[in-house]
Amino acid sequence: MQYIGIQTQQSRNNFRSLLLLCLFPCLVIGLLYAFCYLLHVLAYNDDNMTQAQLMNYSTDMFLHLAPYVLGGVLIWFIIAYFANTSIINSATGSHPLERKENKRVYNLVENLCMAQGMKMPKINIIDDDSLNAFASGINERTYTVTLSRGIIDKLNDEELEAVIAHELSHIRNHDVRLLIISIVFVGIFAMLAQIAMRTAYYSSFSSSRNRDSKGNGTAIIIVLVMLIAAVGYFFSILMRFAISRKREFLADAGSAEMTKNPQALASALRKISSDPNIEAVQREDVAQLFIEHPGNQAKSALSGLSGLFATHPPVEKRIQILEQF
């Protein structure tokens, strides 16, 4: 694998984060205009309107709705910026680990941070006997390393230190910032799709009482629901491709560099791969944060085409590279 320096990886992730922040409003604007255009096409398809008239009506509606839509997106970003830690904790079932509960973990994290000149992140724990870990946060105030109870209890000091170093590498490389931004984006589309689905359901229910108004109204809503759901789905897939799976290889290399013990991480990955499933994690966008996918992908990444859409590289490949250090 081609060598990539820490500064290069940080710069790449900073650029990708900025690119996503710039492209997302453009995507929302494009989706909004498509919504307005399709709404008029379906609503006035029997009125013999010219293409120019359709465009004018669509543009007027778009200009009227755009400030409200962009304002809603901005509010979502503000909420996500200040509440991203709570969102991740809720999605993973994690909570703070106090020093008095486990001095061993705090000592390992502190030693690694002092050796690397890094600020000490927060430490959280997931009450699950499976083995997994992840890093999260968008700045030094919110950076967090989260460990499952199983990984703390079942790994020895060298293996646990290697896993913590892996997560600290994600923080140092700014991987976590990029991942959190992607989770926020996917969350916005998921929210829009849910709103649209609920609107379609209640509109269909209420229109069943009034057969005269059922036709075009329900058809328009169904088409627009399909559009929103499709864009949200494909955008989430594009997010996975935009966030290179090389981040895991680079974090593995960072762990080996911090601990000078690549075999410890290789041993830890073997144990983690035998039981990585965290029951509280149901969202695929959140699952990409973990050192090993906390679900079925961990067992199927090498079968069929699933590896193409995998958020993590095969653990066997990662172990093989570590053993070559």
Side-chain angles (χ1 to χ4, degrees):
M1 184 174 64
Q2 182 182 4
Y3 174 76
I4 300 177
I6 294 173
Q7 294 294 332
T8 301
Q9 181 65 6
Q10 289 177 344
S11 299
R12 287 181 179 179
N13 284 332
N14 289 337
F15 173 75
R16 290 168 182 166
S17 298
L18 181 61
L19 183 63
L20 290 178
L21 288 172
C22 294
L23 288 179
F24 185 74
C26 298
L27 181 62
V28 171
I29 289 296
L31 180 60
L32 176 61
Y33 192 86
F35 174 92
C36 296
Y37 181 78
L38 286 175
L39 183 65
H40 283 85
V41 168
L42 295 173
Y44 300 107
N45 59 353
D46 294 329
D47 293 349
N48 296 320
M49 293 183 64
T50 65
Q51 184 68 25
Q53 288 176 314
L54 280 174
M55 295 295 291
N56 287 335
Y57 282 124
S58 300
T59 302
D60 289 341
M61 184 179 182
F62 166 77
L63 293 175
H64 177 74
L65 293 178
Y68 298 100
V69 172
L70 292 177
V73 171
L74 178 61
I75 291 173
W76 177 274
F77 270 113
I78 293 173
I79 293 173
Y81 179 85
F82 290 102
N84 68 87
T85 300
S86 298
I87 294 172
I88 297 299
N89 289 346
S90 176
T92 59
S94 60
H95 59 87
L97 176 67
E98 301 296 335
R99 178 185 292 273
K100 62 183 179 181
E101 296 179 47
N102 200 310
K103 294 182 180 180
R104 170 187 173 226
V105 170
Y106 270 84
N107 289 338
L108 291 173
V109 176
E110 286 178 339
N111 290 340
L112 286 168
C113 288
M114 286 190 293
Q116 298 300 315
M118 295 177 63
K119 185 177 179 179
M120 176 86 171
K122 299 176 183 177
I123 303 175
N124 282 4
I125 187 171
I126 301 174
D127 290 319
D128 193 304
D129 289 333
S130 298
L131 289 78
N132 225 318
F134 71 92
S136 60
I138 57 177
N139 52 40
E140 289 189 347
R141 183 178 61 84
T142 58
Y143 285 145
T144 306
V145 171
T146 302
L147 306 167
S148 69
R149 191 169 299 279
I151 206 170
I152 294 174
D153 294 340
K154 298 175 183 179
L155 298 188
N156 62 38
D157 285 354
E158 290 184 345
E159 293 167 340
L160 186 58
E161 180 186 48
V163 169
I164 293 171
H166 173 99
E167 301 307 334
L168 291 177
S169 294
H170 279 310
I171 293 175
R172 183 180 64 178
N173 295 344
H174 297 171
D175 295 334
V176 291
R177 180 186 301 169
L178 181 60
L179 289 167
I180 294 298
I181 291 174
S182 74
I183 290 172
V184 171
F185 288 171
V186 173
I188 290 175
F189 280 109
M191 178 188 67
L192 292 175
Q194 288 180 4
I195 291 174
M197 291 294 290
R198 289 179 182 274
T199 302
Y201 173 79
Y202 287 113
S203 296
S204 298
F205 179 77
S206 61
S207 63
S208 65
R209 300 179 181 178
N210 186 357
R211 299 293 180 181
D212 295 335
S213 63
K214 185 176 181 179
N216 280 346
T218 303
I220 292 171
I221 292 173
I222 290 176
V223 169
L224 296 180
V225 166
M226 292 174 63
L227 175 65
I228 292 172
V231 170
Y233 176 74
F234 285 113
F235 187 75
S236 65
I237 290 179
L238 289 175
M239 278 293 156
R240 296 186 201 175
F241 285 112
I243 303 171
S244 172
R245 283 176 286 177
K246 287 183 179 180
R247 74 184 188 280
E248 294 300 331
F249 291 120
L250 293 171
D252 289 345
S255 173
E257 178 257 326
M258 287 186 189
T259 64
K260 307 297 188 293
N261 189 0
Q263 301 302 321
L265 183 58
S267 177
L269 287 174
R270 286 192 185 92
K271 294 181 180 180
I272 292 170
S273 63
S274 66
D275 184 20
N277 187 43
I278 302 295
E279 294 182 1
V281 179
Q282 302 296 326
R283 292 172 51 179
E284 187 66 27
D285 53 340
V286 174
Q288 64 186 335
L289 289 170
F290 285 78
I291 189 172
E292 176 63 12
H293 192 286
N296 293 329
Q297 179 191 291
K299 298 180 180 180
S300 62
L302 292 175
S303 61
L305 294 175
S306 58
L308 180 63
F309 299 98
T311 57
H312 291 67
V315 67
E316 293 84 359
K317 180 66 175 177
R318 295 168 63 185
I319 293 173
Q320 179 183 2
I321 291 175
L322 286 167
E323 289 179 337
Q324 294 175 356
F325 270 81

